[in-house]
Amino acid sequence: MDNRITEDMAALMQSHLELVIQANKTTNLTRIDSLEDGLLLHVEDSLIGLDECLSAPEGKYADLGTGGGFPGITIAIATVRPTTLVDTRRKKTVILDGIVEKLGLADQVSTYTGRIEEMALEHPKAFSLITARALAQLSVLLEFSSPLLKTGGHLVCYKAQVSDGEMGHALEVQDMLGMKLISQRSVYLSDGETFRTILVFEKTARPRIKLPRPVSYAQKKPL
């Protein structure tokens, strides 16, 4: 565990994981069903991006496609940022609301149920930090995040692997979206086998196209 994580923080993170595993018996929140695997592939994996999250400007934080609340709740505990967990499925966000309440984090962490494009219309330029873990191609994440981020805000992407084509396309469209790659780091988790890449993009300017585009355009009509 990261030495910046206190015992109380670690206990909350494990309690979150245990509640997710319990809820997973009736609702599909995660494919991981054991505490040992969850501590590695959810909690430790979430904390891999902690340095990058701590380096973002102060302000609100959103975790896109949060699923069971990873990395969102883990990073919320570690950074104490006001946090919004974003997912399209109400069944998931209702469960997350209950988990947040049980963890005593309701004053800090809330959920948003709906499409990211809709959230961008309701909360433009509201966030200083956004995370996304295994959600979409980098270019799509840039398009999703740009209208949500304040100028200077950071998008932290958690990736298992990034192909040359995916990276190349992201670099081609970043200027159009007012975003810029500022760091990239690859590491193995403590099992020595699980490989992760953390990429950070900064919102540097207003996008040159109108964002957000209509729902689903980012995936179905990519830039």
Side-chain angles (χ1 to χ4, degrees):
M1 186 71 72
D2 190 295
N3 59 16
R4 291 164 296 188
I5 303 303
T6 67
E7 290 184 5
D8 287 346
M9 288 178 176
L12 268 181
M13 291 172 188
Q14 180 160 327
S15 293
H16 165 216
L17 175 61
E18 290 169 348
L19 289 167
V20 168
I21 291 172
Q22 180 64 33
N24 205 53
K25 295 176 181 178
T26 55
T27 303
N28 183 27
L29 289 176
T30 175
R31 62 178 176 78
I32 295 165
D33 58 6
S34 77
L35 185 63
E36 181 180 3
D37 287 346
L39 287 171
L40 174 73
L41 297 174
H42 280 327
V43 178
E44 183 182 332
D45 193 24
S46 295
L47 290 173
I48 285 294
L50 179 58
D51 281 342
E52 286 79 2
C53 292
L54 287 171
S55 297
E58 290 185 6
K60 294 180 180 178
Y61 160 47
D63 183 34
L64 306 184
T66 194
F70 302 102
I73 291 177
T74 311
I75 294 299
I77 292 167
T79 64
V80 202
R81 286 180 185 264
T83 298
T84 303
L85 309 173
V86 184
D87 206 281
T88 56
R89 293 185 59 194
R90 181 165 296 280
K91 185 180 289 187
K92 288 186 178 182
T93 56
V94 167
I95 291 172
L96 288 174
D97 284 334
I99 289 174
V100 166
E101 186 72 32
K102 289 176 182 176
L103 295 174
L105 297 173
D107 289 341
Q108 178 195 352
V109 181
S110 60
T111 61
Y112 178 91
T113 308
R115 300 300 296 259
I116 297 166
E117 298 94 333
E118 296 166 342
M119 184 180 178
L121 291 173
E122 296 173 30
H123 303 281
K125 303 176 185 177
F127 298 93
S128 298
L129 169 65
I130 289 175
T131 56
R133 187 175 76 139
L135 178 63
Q137 296 286 304
L138 288 173
S139 60
V140 174
L141 297 178
L142 292 175
E143 182 174 344
F144 280 159
S145 300
S146 180
L148 285 165
L149 283 170
K150 297 177 178 180
T151 301
H154 290 183
L155 164 65
V156 179
C157 305
Y158 290 65
K159 286 283 193 175
Q161 55 185 346
V162 182
S163 69
D164 291 343
E166 179 180 359
M167 176 61 80
H169 185 54
L171 297 178
E172 286 175 6
V173 302
Q174 64 176 358
D175 287 344
M176 182 196 313
L177 298 171
M179 303 287 286
K180 182 180 180 181
L181 178 67
I182 61 169
S183 73
Q184 179 178 348
R185 178 171 62 92
S186 296
V187 295
Y188 284 94
L189 300 188
S190 62
D191 64 349
E193 299 177 359
T194 307
F195 185 74
R196 291 289 183 264
T197 297
I198 304 293
L199 304 102
V200 182
F201 293 84
E202 182 174 325
K203 173 80 173 285
T204 56
R206 293 181 62 182
R208 299 205 300 263
I209 61 173
K210 185 178 179 181
L211 294 176
R213 292 195 292 160
V215 168
S216 298
Y217 270 43
Q219 295 104 320
K220 295 180 180 178
K221 297 184 179 182
L223 297 171

